[in-house]
């Protein structure tokens, strides 16, 4: 029984074919008829509805120059125990023919009961060949077999027996060496076997997604996606990742018997066994990582976890290349950076390169201002670092996207599992005791850290850094105070006492050894400042007022001079530009009104009463054209206040947004609003500079500051300015903002440009 030639097949493979078609009219007419039948019955059909699919299996086999290896693969399919009527073999020859067509056609003719379909495409591309095979598939389920592999006789029957529309069935995978030796205990098959016959989440085992083999997938799902035709390797990883991300599939191991296994032949020329040259191990892996990253939702959901895991696996190839070619490190780094990836797993590449230590009690992935500022500081310093931080899961939620801020410069980030506490000496001591073990071990491993950086508001950072400095006097310790520590936002002493235990005695001896007295107070916050002032080599304050305020709280004149000599004023760093693009916000802003955005917490001495009062008192025409969007920790309280003021619809109260979404969203507002802490009588000067200002700087949007007299914020470039608590000035600013917007000039003003006429 002769099968028709598929319409995509290279008919010119037969050397006598041209002469026959030219001289033999009957043969020519028979060939035309065969092609017409083929086009009707067997040609690829795009967008075939699931209802048109027959129950059974389509086996897609791409082949590039496969004549010398394909016979075993095809023979294993012919010998399947599954009824030939329940499956088809779709062979897609891609690129130059080396006799593969003739061999396959001969096998097809010798097995008339089997449904052989031979397709052809001229361009050599495994991805394109698989796409053609998927398009042509006519059965309900689909699997891939490479032309150099083979399958056990029960492979298709067992897979189909376990198949379901919402399930991927999986077969054992046995490695076969070039000498024919079988290895059923390979790492991948051990994982498959361990699953037994229990259903599990398909995306839960990323290693199973890293290749095409041994899986039976619903054909309708496969037809919804495509293999990348531009990737030179790794297209299988991206296809399976997309399949997992786009579908909520379960998975089940159909059988653990060798008769149902997929036999993967490990030949030297296989893609998976290519030498780790720069092109394969770096360039091609980055191409795959780029495609995987394009699938991310950036919400830390299971799909994101899966994709980042697959990206890290690809980065391991790059790491191995760097290990083997250390002289190429800079070229590798430059190539990675050229891809403009948002979240490359840099720790894989940075391993062993850190010579600087950062102690940040709260750090990414924990969502906290302190964690964000520490990450920005690492970027500003520009050195690859090790980080030690604490487990904050009991008091802070996780936001894995925060790791993208400083990820480029992280070698190792070690989480210490101690109870989280802001003011508990017992908990802080546990963090210090456990953290110093990690720090000392890493210090010995790398031959000694050159610098040490720590920052507070969480005092655990400075206590651990102080102990490390005591034990490693040669390290240069830079200590940053984000805000005053011993007093709160109202200028009152913070509550929290240390215990004069063994750890305290270590700190106390270090203080007295430097010629300073033991403090009588047991305030751990005062001690944290005191210890840091004495032992640190450099002190960083965010503004001049903060430095003056904290220095003036020190009674020892000698220590005040020392503080002055080693102090540096540095505002909170602005995030790198890429951080504003990582997580696009879907929050809708109307283009028909002026949108003013406020992002920040509400406290007793930090609110928006003057702005709400101003909105209530501006003319109706101004109010109709203004929208204030408030993103805060107390959205319900703000909403009630808005309702009481009669500003429903004018002011929109919203909950916090994840930090990276906030950066992107802030870039879309017409004006951004930031406010000073309203000073109490306990403070002669305002020592605070809102960290939000540094984030706003990176947006390029005009900033309206509600400022305290002579505060640090009041000295910054602001497009609009009014005094904290002054609603009359706020009214004038609102009117100015609207006038600028109507004149189409508001977007052109940046935070570096001050309009003196808007200073209220």
């Amino acid at each position: 029984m002769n099968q028709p030639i598929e319409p995509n097949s290279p008919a010119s493979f037969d050397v006598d074919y041209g002469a026959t078609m030219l001289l033999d009219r009957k043969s020519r007419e028979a060939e035309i008829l065969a092609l017409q039948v083929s086009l009707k019955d067997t040609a690829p059909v795009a967008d075939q509805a699931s209802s048109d699919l027959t129950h059974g299996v389509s086996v897609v086999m791409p082949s590039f120059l496969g004549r010398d290896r394909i016979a075993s693969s095809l023979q294993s399919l012919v010998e399947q125990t599954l009824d030939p009527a329940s499956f088809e073999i779709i062979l897609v020859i891609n690129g130059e023919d080396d006799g593969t067509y003739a061999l396959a056609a001969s096998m097809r003719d010798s097995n008339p009961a089997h449904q052989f379909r031979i397709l052809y495409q001229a361009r050599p591309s495994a991805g394109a060949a698989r796409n053609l095979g998927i398009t042509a598939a006519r059965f309900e389920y689909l699997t891939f077999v490479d032309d150099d592999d083979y399958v056990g006789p029960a492979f298709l029957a067992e897979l189909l027996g376990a198949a379901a529309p919402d399930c991927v069935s999986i077969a054992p995978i046995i490695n076969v060496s070039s000498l024919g030796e079988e290895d059923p205990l390979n790492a991948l098959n051990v994982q498959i076997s361990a699953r037994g016959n229990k259903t599990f989440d398909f995306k839960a085992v990323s290693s199973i997604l890293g290749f095409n083999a041994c899986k039976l997938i619903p054909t309708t799902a496969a037809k919804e996606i495509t293999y990348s035709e531009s990737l030179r390797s790794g297209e299988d990883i991206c296809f399976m990742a997309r399949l997992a991300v786009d579908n909520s599939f379960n998975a089940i191991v159909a059988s653990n018997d060798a008769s149902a296994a997929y036999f993967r032949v490990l030949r030297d020329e296989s893609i998976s066994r290519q030498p780790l040259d720069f092109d394969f191990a770096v360039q091609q892996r980055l191409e795959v990582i780029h495609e995987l990253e394009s699938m991310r939702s950036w919400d830390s959901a299971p799909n994101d976890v899966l994709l980042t895991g697959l990206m890290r696996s690809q980065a391991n190839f790059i790491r191995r290349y760097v290990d083997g070619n250390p002289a190429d490190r800079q070229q590798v780094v430059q190539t990675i950076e050229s891809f403009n990836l948002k979240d490359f797993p840099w720790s894989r590449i940075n391993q062993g390169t850190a010579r600087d230590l950062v102690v940040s009690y709260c750090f990414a992935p924990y969502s906290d201002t302190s964690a964000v500022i520490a990450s920005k500081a690492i970027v500003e310093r520009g050195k690859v670092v090790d980080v030690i931080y604490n487990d904050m899961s009991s008091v802070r939620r996780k936001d894995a996207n925060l790791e993208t801020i400083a990820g480029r410069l992280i070698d190792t980030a070690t989480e210490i599992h101690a109870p989280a506490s802001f003011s508990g000496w017992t908990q802080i001591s546990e963090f210090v005791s456990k953290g110093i073990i990690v720090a000392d071990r890493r210090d010995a491993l790398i031959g000694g850290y050159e610098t040490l950086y720590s920052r507070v508001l969480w005092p655990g950072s400075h206590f651990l850094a102080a102990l490390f400095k005591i034990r490693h006097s040669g390290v240069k310790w830079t200590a940053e105070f984000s805000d005053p520590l011993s007093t709160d936002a109202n200028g009152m002493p913070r509550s929290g006492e240390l215990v004069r235990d063994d750890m305290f005695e270590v700190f106390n001896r270090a203080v007295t050894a430097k010629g300073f007295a033991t403090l009588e107070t047991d305030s751990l916050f005062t001690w944290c400042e005191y210890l840091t002032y004495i032992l640190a080599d450099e002190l960083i304050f965010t503004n001049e007022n903060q430095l003056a305020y904290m220095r003036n709280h020190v009674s020892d004149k000698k220590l005040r001079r020392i503080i002055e000599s080693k102090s540096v004023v540095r505002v909170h760093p602005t995030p790198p530009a890429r951080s504003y693009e990582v997580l696009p916000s879907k929050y809708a802003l109307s283009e028909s009104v002026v949108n003013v955005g406020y992002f920040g917490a509400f406290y007793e001495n930090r609110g928006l009463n003057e702005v709400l009062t101003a909105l209530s008192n501006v003319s109706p025409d101004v109010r109709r054209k203004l929208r204030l969007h408030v993103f805060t920790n107390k959205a319900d309280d703000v909403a009630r206040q808005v309702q009481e003021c009669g500003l429903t619809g004018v002011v929109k109260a919203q909950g916090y947004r994840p930090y990276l979404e906030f950066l992107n969203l802030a870039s879309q507002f017409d004006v951004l609003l930031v406010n000073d802490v309203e000073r109490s009588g306990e403070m002669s000067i305002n020592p605070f500079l809102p960290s939000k200002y540094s984030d706003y700087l990176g947006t390029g949007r005009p900033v309206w500051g509600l400022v305290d007299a002579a505060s640090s914020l009041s000295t910054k470039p602001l497009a609009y300015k009014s005094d904290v608590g002054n609603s009359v000035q706020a009214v004038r600013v609102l009117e100015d903002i609207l006038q600028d917007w109507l004149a189409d000039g508001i977007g052109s003003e940046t935070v570096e440009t001050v309009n003196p006429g808007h200073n209220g």
Side-chain angles (χ1 to χ4, degrees):
M1 174 180 175
N2 291 322
Q3 297 269 343
I5 299 173
E6 292 281 346
N8 301 82
S9 63
S12 60
F13 292 165
D14 185 345
V15 294
D16 297 324
Y17 180 81
T20 301
M21 292 298 101
L22 179 65
L23 302 174
D24 190 332
R25 182 175 61 83
K26 289 185 178 181
S27 295
R28 191 163 59 246
E29 291 174 350
E31 179 66 5
I32 291 172
L33 178 61
L35 287 171
Q36 289 173 338
V37 172
S38 177
L39 284 168
K40 178 180 179 182
D41 296 334
T42 63
V45 179
D47 301 324
Q48 188 169 15
S50 59
S51 59
D52 296 334
L53 297 173
T54 303
H55 183 68
V57 181
S58 294
V59 181
V60 174
M61 180 184 295
S63 182
F64 173 69
L65 301 178
R67 178 195 60 191
D68 295 336
R69 58 181 181 270
I70 198 171
S72 297
S73 186
L74 291 176
Q75 187 62 38
S76 71
L77 291 172
V78 168
E79 294 174 352
Q80 290 296 294
T81 59
L82 184 64
D83 184 348
S86 294
F87 73 96
E88 62 179 348
I89 304 167
I90 304 174
L91 173 63
V92 184
I93 301 172
N94 63 108
E96 177 186 354
D97 177 56
D98 62 345
T100 301
Y101 177 79
L103 187 154
S106 173
M107 183 167 285
R108 178 188 63 187
D109 294 343
S110 301
N111 296 275
H114 288 77
Q115 302 180 69
F116 264 100
R117 303 172 64 197
I118 307 174
L119 307 181
Y120 175 74
Q121 65 164 28
R123 183 164 64 92
S125 166
R130 292 191 182 98
N131 287 336
L132 182 60
I134 293 170
T135 303
R138 298 179 298 189
F139 283 87
E140 192 175 359
Y141 297 96
L142 182 146
T143 192
F144 300 99
V145 177
D146 287 347
D147 67 358
D148 54 347
D149 299 333
Y150 57 93
V151 295
F155 177 73
L156 294 180
E158 293 291 347
L159 284 176
L160 185 59
D166 62 348
C167 187
V168 174
S169 52
I170 298 171
I173 187 163
I174 297 175
N175 288 344
V176 183
S177 73
S178 57
L179 300 176
E181 301 165 330
E182 296 180 359
D183 174 22
L185 298 179
N186 62 80
L188 181 57
N189 202 39
V190 169
Q191 291 190 48
I192 292 173
S193 300
R195 295 285 164 177
N197 59 358
K198 295 181 179 179
T199 300
F200 60 95
D201 187 348
F202 180 50
K203 63 173 67 75
V205 186
S206 60
S207 57
I208 294 178
L209 305 181
F211 55 94
N212 295 297
C214 80
K215 294 179 285 290
L216 188 71
I217 62 179
T219 302
T220 52
K223 287 179 179 288
E224 291 294 322
I225 56 180
T226 58
Y227 279 87
S228 169
E229 298 185 9
S230 61
L231 293 177
R232 293 170 289 162
S233 61
E235 73 283 349
D236 47 356
I237 298 169
C238 296
F239 179 87
M240 289 297 166
R242 175 62 71 184
L243 183 74
V245 167
D246 287 358
N247 300 276
S248 298
F249 283 146
N250 290 320
I252 190 169
V253 177
S255 169
N256 278 314
D257 195 273
S259 65
Y262 185 104
F263 292 83
R264 181 171 58 176
V265 179
L266 305 177
R267 56 189 179 93
D268 291 338
E269 62 269 29
S270 297
I271 287 290
S272 60
R273 293 170 67 84
Q274 284 197 16
L276 288 181
D277 59 20
F278 188 91
D279 181 57
F280 177 78
V282 180
Q283 185 71 30
Q284 293 184 40
R285 303 286 60 76
L286 286 169
E287 291 166 1
V288 172
I289 290 171
H290 185 271
E291 182 151 333
L292 290 170
E293 187 178 82
S294 71
M295 304 180 201
R296 290 191 57 183
S297 55
W298 303 96
D299 57 3
S300 301
N303 285 343
D304 251 20
V305 174
L306 166 69
L307 291 167
T308 53
L310 292 172
M311 291 167 62
R312 283 194 292 270
S313 295
Q314 292 293 296
N316 285 338
F317 283 90
I318 304 176
R319 175 69 211 181
R320 291 203 296 273
Y321 178 83
V322 171
D323 287 344
N325 303 272
D328 291 350
R329 169 177 287 278
Q330 189 57 35
Q331 182 187 4
V332 170
V333 169
Q334 291 173 349
T335 304
I336 295 170
E337 291 177 336
S338 72
F339 274 78
N340 293 318
L341 296 162
K342 297 177 181 178
D343 189 20
F344 180 79
W346 281 101
S347 60
R348 295 294 197 270
I349 311 305
N350 292 336
Q351 185 177 344
T353 62
R355 294 298 178 268
D356 302 273
L357 176 62
V358 170
V359 180
S360 179
Y361 190 83
C362 187
F363 194 70
Y366 293 106
S367 183
D368 183 88
T369 300
S370 185
V372 169
I373 296 174
S375 296
K376 293 190 293 183
I378 289 171
V379 174
E380 184 177 66
R381 290 161 67 85
K383 296 180 179 180
V384 175
V385 299
D386 289 333
V387 180
I388 296 177
Y389 65 103
N390 195 46
D391 177 358
M392 308 296 287
S393 56
S394 62
V395 293
R396 293 291 184 270
R397 63 179 180 83
K398 284 187 176 183
D399 180 359
N401 295 331
L402 293 177
E403 295 173 327
T404 66
I405 299 173
R408 163 69 181 84
L409 296 165
I410 303 293
D411 182 342
T412 64
T414 305
E415 183 176 57
I416 304 302
H417 297 287
S421 178
F422 181 66
S423 58
W425 179 253
T426 300
Q427 296 91 328
I428 292 172
S429 295
E430 183 174 341
F431 167 74
V432 174
S433 297
K434 292 180 176 179
I436 197 64
I437 294 172
V438 173
D440 284 347
R441 185 187 303 124
R442 289 289 298 173
D443 182 81
L445 183 65
I446 69 170
Y449 286 113
E450 296 173 1
T451 70
L452 167 66
Y453 167 81
S454 63
R455 73 171 308 279
V456 298
L457 211 53
W458 296 85
S461 299
H462 282 351
F463 279 116
L464 174 54
L467 183 57
F468 187 83
K469 174 67 176 180
I470 291 168
R471 297 168 72 148
H472 305 272
S473 59
V475 70
K476 180 184 177 182
W477 177 21
T478 297
E480 180 172 358
F481 291 96
S482 181
D483 289 320
L485 189 59
S486 58
T487 59
D488 62 19
N490 293 309
M492 302 301 293
R494 293 187 191 274
S495 176
E497 294 187 353
L498 53 74
V499 177
R500 294 179 180 255
D501 54 12
D502 291 344
M503 181 171 290
F504 168 80
E505 286 304 324
V506 173
F507 292 137
N508 188 42
R509 285 195 298 270
V511 166
T512 56
K514 292 288 186 177
F516 292 93
T518 300
L519 292 178
E520 294 183 4
T521 179
D522 287 336
S523 165
L524 69 85
F525 296 105
T526 301
W527 265 99
C528 186
E529 289 181 346
Y530 191 59
L531 192 65
T532 306
Y533 292 156
I534 294 169
L535 297 182
D537 299 287
E538 181 180 55
L539 301 170
I540 295 179
F541 300 88
T542 62
N543 62 87
E544 292 285 356
N545 283 4
Q546 181 198 354
L547 168 57
Y549 178 87
M550 295 181 68
R551 182 192 58 218
N552 291 343
H553 272 69
V554 176
S555 58
D556 187 320
K557 293 182 179 180
K558 174 186 174 184
L559 183 55
R560 288 170 67 173
R561 289 194 298 271
I562 290 174
I563 293 171
E564 188 71 36
S565 69
K566 57 186 178 183
S567 291
V568 174
V569 173
R570 188 204 70 185
V571 298
H572 294 302
T574 295
R578 66 178 183 275
S579 295
Y580 290 80
E581 302 173 356
V582 169
L583 188 57
S585 177
K586 297 179 181 178
Y587 185 79
L589 294 173
S590 172
E591 295 183 359
S592 62
V593 296
V594 186
N595 291 292
V596 179
Y598 175 84
F599 299 82
F602 275 59
Y603 303 108
E604 179 184 349
N605 55 353
R606 178 179 283 174
L608 292 177
N609 290 333
E610 66 272 67
V611 178
L612 297 180
T613 301
L615 282 168
S616 298
N617 287 280
V618 294
S619 70
D621 289 341
V622 173
R623 192 162 47 246
R624 275 194 294 269
K625 298 299 292 183
L626 287 167
R627 294 293 179 273
L628 174 61
H629 305 257
V630 179
F631 300 86
T632 183
N633 58 324
K634 297 181 178 180
D636 292 340
D637 292 347
V638 174
R640 282 192 292 270
Q641 188 177 2
V642 167
Q643 188 175 19
E644 292 170 0
C645 294
L647 294 173
T648 302
V650 178
V651 180
K652 299 180 180 294
Q654 308 287 330
Y656 274 146
R657 291 297 190 271
Y659 179 73
L660 292 175
E661 183 189 352
F662 144 67
L663 292 182
N664 180 265
L665 178 56
S667 304
Q668 302 175 38
F669 277 94
D670 298 307
V671 176
L672 295 167
L673 179 60
V674 62
N675 55 345
D676 263 329
V677 167
E678 192 168 0
R679 228 175 344 129
S680 70
E682 303 296 327
M683 292 182 171
S684 58
I685 56 175
N686 192 325
F688 303 103
L689 175 62
S691 63
K692 205 67 65 181
Y693 177 75
S694 67
D695 296 325
Y696 286 174
L697 277 176
T699 69
R701 308 308 301 158
V703 176
W704 172 14
L706 304 178
V707 300
D708 184 23
S711 72
S712 180
L713 180 63
S714 71
T715 67
K716 301 301 179 187
L718 296 166
Y720 305 95
K721 187 186 297 185
S722 61
D723 291 341
V724 168
N726 193 323
S727 59
V728 175
Q729 290 182 359
V731 167
R732 291 203 294 267
V733 169
L734 290 170
E735 292 170 344
D736 288 340
I737 288 173
L738 180 58
Q739 289 176 6
D740 289 344
W741 183 77
L742 291 173
D744 293 327
I746 196 168
S748 64
E749 278 192 277
T750 68
V751 290
E752 283 78 28
T753 301
V754 182
N755 186 338
H758 295 159
N759 289 347

